[in-house]
Amino acid sequence: MGLPVRLGLLRALLQELSVDTGKPLAVGGARELAGVLRRELAREAKPGGVRSDDSPEGAAVLVYILAHEPSPEDEAALARARRARVPIVALAGRDELAIPHVLATDVVPIRPGQGFPLEEIARVIAARLGEEAAPLAARVPLLRRAVGGQLIAVFSRKNGLVGAAVFVPGADLPVLTLNQLRLLLRLEQAYGLEVGPRERLPELAATLVAGLGLRELARKLLDRVPVAGWAVQSAVAYAATRALGEAAVRRLEAAPRRH
């Protein structure tokens, strides 16, 4: 039985991810609060992972704090980030506050005297950046758990849709396996591992073997439930991808801390 993914595709995937060195996280807005949040996000971060200034140019994301209605200075700073095509996550003290250049889904509420909701900030950053959050998480460990959860959810849904949409048994396997490989490599990147064929060979080989097992499992289930084959394929693809991602995160969380 041949490999579910051509080696050329695997090499191209490794090359794509290996050149993604990551950009820093920038924090701006209310000066004193921005300084506090900058220090909290920079805990255990690699040098340069969190910028010491609020310049958005070249940043992966700008986290901007608003303690009041946006002033002309705030609007100018947000417009500058938008011109630089830098995603913005805003922190606001009022739920109904209208913030220019920021999507409502990218606003995190903050409450006086409660500290910064770091987990929620990390979750919104992960959702906003998608795969691009992985190299940032490699530099800012506080983001890793949220980024890992987001990657697992996204790739599991992708493979569930592929399994449901492809009706020829086995025809979807290269796409499913490539998505699983991409998920695995992004998770390892987020947790600070180098993306390289030699370093990642054992995990990649195990994922390819799992892809062959996925084909066999789907085939046996389709023999038993031929009428709703699309639902079977979707469920198997989703569950297998989620299980692969969650197992990888447990392994990475248990490994010695990487900064």
Side-chain angles (χ1 to χ4, degrees):
M1 184 179 292
L3 292 175
V5 175
R6 296 198 306 271
L7 292 178
L9 287 176
L10 182 55
R11 283 196 295 269
L13 175 60
L14 287 166
Q15 183 177 9
E16 175 194 344
L17 299 187
S18 64
V19 300
D20 193 353
T21 57
K23 300 174 182 179
L25 183 152
V27 180
R31 190 173 302 278
E32 292 185 4
L33 294 175
V36 174
L37 179 58
R38 196 176 288 124
R39 289 191 294 272
E40 292 194 31
L41 291 172
R43 282 182 298 173
E44 301 183 354
K46 291 183 178 179
V50 178
R51 274 192 171 159
S52 58
D53 58 48
D54 60 0
S55 174
E57 283 80 10
V61 63
L62 171 66
V63 180
Y64 200 87
I65 306 173
L66 289 162
H68 43 66
E69 291 281 349
S71 66
E73 182 181 352
D74 293 324
E75 294 188 21
L78 295 171
R80 177 183 173 187
R82 185 173 180 83
R83 286 195 301 271
R85 298 185 178 181
V86 174
I88 306 168
V89 172
L91 276 60
R94 288 166 46 193
D95 296 336
E96 73 280 6
L97 202 62
I99 306 173
H101 309 297
V102 181
L103 299 173
T105 53
D106 296 339
V107 178
V108 179
I110 53 176
R111 299 289 179 260
Q114 295 186 8
F116 289 110
L118 297 178
E119 290 185 5
E120 179 66 9
I121 294 170
R123 186 194 66 77
V124 175
I125 290 174
R128 184 68 178 84
L129 296 186
E131 281 193 60
E132 298 306 313
L136 178 61
R139 305 179 72 182
V140 184
L142 189 144
L143 303 178
R144 288 176 181 172
R145 188 163 296 178
V147 170
Q150 177 71 13
L151 289 170
I152 291 170
V154 168
F155 278 97
S156 297
R157 287 196 297 268
K158 280 184 180 180
N159 273 0
L161 290 172
V162 171
V166 180
F167 298 99
V168 180
D172 55 353
L173 189 62
V175 179
L176 296 175
T177 305
L178 190 62
N179 280 340
Q180 289 177 342
L181 289 169
R182 192 177 189 94
L183 168 61
L184 178 66
L185 289 169
R186 281 299 196 188
L187 288 172
E188 294 188 337
Q189 183 183 42
Y191 277 81
L193 274 66
E194 295 294 330
V195 177
R198 292 184 179 180
E199 295 83 356
R200 305 280 68 81
L201 184 59
E203 295 93 340
L204 296 176
T207 304
L208 290 172
V209 172
L212 297 174
L214 174 62
R215 173 191 286 177
E216 184 64 18
L217 175 60
R219 186 187 65 78
K220 290 181 178 179
L221 289 174
L222 286 171
D223 289 341
R224 293 176 177 270
V225 193
V227 176
W230 63 271
V232 171
Q233 291 183 168
S234 176
V236 170
Y238 178 91
T241 304
R242 177 165 284 278
L244 172 73
E246 291 176 348
V249 167
R250 286 194 295 270
R251 171 174 56 82
L252 292 165
E253 290 276 2
R257 193 71 168 170
R258 296 177 179 87
H259 306 303

